[in-house]
């Protein structure tokens, strides 16, 4: 998705917006992302293993959504 083209993006704050659908796949391509706040929406789907590639990520909040599945073990790759 287009958001993945913004390579220097460091923070995404889109909580409390009632967004519906899945998390855009381009999010997982943002290697410089430090903050990902997508809580309190209506997002569905799962957190993919690509989450482990986000090695700059220090803050992640996804609660109060309709996500399913387990937390991928690759999250342990994040420092």
């Amino acid at each position: 998705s287009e958001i993945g083209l913004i390579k220097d993006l460091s923070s995404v704050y889109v909580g409390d917006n009632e967004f519906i659908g899945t998390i855009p796949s381009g999010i997982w391509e943002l290697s410089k992302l430090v903050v990902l706040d997508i809580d309190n929406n209506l997002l569905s789907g799962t957190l993919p293993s690509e989450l482990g590639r986000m090695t700059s990520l220090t803050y992640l909040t996804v609660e109060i959504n309709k996500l399913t599945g387990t937390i991928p073990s690759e999250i342990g790759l994040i420092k």
Side-chain angles (χ1 to χ4, degrees):
S1 68
E2 290 81 16
I3 196 164
L5 300 175
I6 310 171
K7 298 296 182 190
D8 290 328
L9 190 62
S10 63
S11 300
V12 173
Y13 293 94
V14 293
D16 302 309
N17 281 293
E18 297 184 7
F19 287 138
I20 297 171
T22 58
I23 302 168
S25 60
I27 288 278
W28 315 118
E29 298 171 24
L30 299 172
S31 61
K32 295 182 181 179
L33 198 65
V34 176
V35 174
L36 179 56
D37 180 341
I38 56 174
D39 70 326
N40 203 17
N41 284 290
L42 300 170
L43 298 171
S44 58
T46 62
L47 293 175
S49 60
E50 287 83 5
L51 179 62
R53 287 194 237 147
M54 302 178 81
T55 56
S56 297
L57 195 64
T58 60
Y59 182 82
L60 170 67
T61 180
V62 298
E63 70 268 8
I64 311 174
N65 278 292
K66 295 184 175 195
L67 299 172
T68 58
T70 60
I71 296 171
S73 60
E74 289 82 359
I75 199 168
L77 300 172
I78 299 173
K79 296 178 182 177

